[in-house]
Amino acid sequence: MKKKKLNITRAAVGALAILCFLCLWFWATREGTPLGRLMPNPAQVFLRLVETTHTKVGPLTIWGHMLNSLRRVLVGFCIASGSGILLGLAMGWNRTIEALLRPIFELLRPIPPLAWISLAIVWFGLGEGGKYFIIFVSGFSNVTINVYTGAKAVDPELIGAAKMLGCSDRRIFTSIVIPSSVPYIFTGLQIAISSSWAAVVAAEMVRSTNGIGWMITAGQGIGDMEQIMVGIIVIGVVGFLLSTFMRGVESKLCAWSRVQDS
Amino acid sequence: MANEYKVQVNHLTKRFGDLLVLDDISFNVKENEFLCIVGPTGCGKTTFLNSLSKLYDITAGEILINGEPVDLKRHNIAYIFQEYSNMPWLTIRQNVEFGLRIKKLPEAEIRERSDYFLDMVGLTKFQDYYPRQLSASMLQRAAIARAFAVKPEVLLMDEPYGQLDIELRFKLEDELIRLWREVGTTVIFITHNIEEAVYLSGRILVLTNKPTKIKAEIPNDLPRPRDIADPNFVALRNQVTELIKWW
């Protein structure tokens, strides 16, 4: 009961903050200001957003662009998650694999996704492959490092207890290491989905003809500020929805790590 | 040598690098005996138990159960740690059932035993809670239920009540004695609390400071239930205290 009230208050405060931000935006772009000449105000952007839901921007409406971007992000993200979870668990569990792969991983980790663009084109061409790769790169290390931390952080007492009960190594891995890493896996996925989605602009800079990222790059090309703003807002909103969805899945699957008192 | 002893420890030695922790320790434990091991803090009691349970590799010597080298997959051993080693992602019931599933018991048997032991430690009402939702003493009881549920031949306990307040400790000590008598298992119980050792044990092993050796072996035939104010109890407690004197 109390919690519900708290949630409503929180939502109200959030809405108020957004409203303040919009007011500030209106005020800053009012007629006659230097910024006002360069940037549309929120109402113009909103009208343009509504318009793009039924009028095509380039080849597609905003929905089409969004779906194309989402597809790219999901493909890249799924490959990044799958391989990141596998590599993280393997490095956390097996010392040989850790000694072998950790240095390479640590070297590749700080390289920003943008830096890979040229290589992505060389390796995967100008088609979808290069875009998947950019998105993969932006999610992979986040997943790997979190899962690796999780697999390393397993309570040795739990492993001891399982060993004493006669658990085989394989069983310890499946019954102890994996479940206790789940919260870390989700932290990794959470960060990765956000950064993958954020990388969509970079990925779609690799010669594309559709997608939200393309909308922004194309808007830049023709100096259409409204189109750029629409793209930015859609990226923000979809990114927010994606991470909210991930949080929802996490709180379902990791109820045990959240329950404090009943 | 026939298997007149449940556990035989012969010349157990453990080194960590240059540090000699356990120095040539030998003793035997009879079937269904309740053996308490006491010694000064930091004397290597946990190392001792971890070596015994094969969590550590031993440097020299051997440990036999029923006359054979310890094999955790074959011998039914349970271990209760200082910390409450419940799996946080499993409910209390699933934790109690964990060992039974490892040992691949039939589902009906798993159900029956976990019902029984949850009831024994008074956690039936809390069986569907996660460990985070329960108090320290409840968690330790869950760990005890899990250990007893596999009906271990040998039960190793490492200061299981060290972090509980005195009232709970008394309660759980009585519970432990009751379970031990009912289930019938060989218990090796490590503690630095002399009163606890005198209260629980059938025999007390006193260890020295590092490198650890056995200083004395004291049989404890005080009648049960024991009274900590009984003169014989006090006399035995003083005798053990005299042997340790870590202050």
Side-chain angles (χ1 to χ4, degrees), chain A residues 190-214:
Chain A
Q190 178 93 27
I191 301 171
I193 190 92
S194 301
S195 57
S196 297
W197 178 247
V200 80
V201 179
E204 287 169 355
M205 276 163 72
V206 183
R207 216 190 70 175
S208 57
T209 51
N210 57 46
I212 301 292
W214 170 84

Side-chain angles (χ1 to χ4, degrees), chain A residues 157 164-165 167 175 180 256-257, chain B residues 77 81 83 88-89 102-103:
Chain A
E157 300 248 318
M164 292 304 310
L165 289 165
C167 260
S175 301
S180 77
W256 57 268
S257 75
Chain B
I77 303 175
F81 296 82
E83 308 287 335
W89 55 89
I102 298 293
K103 304 208 181 291

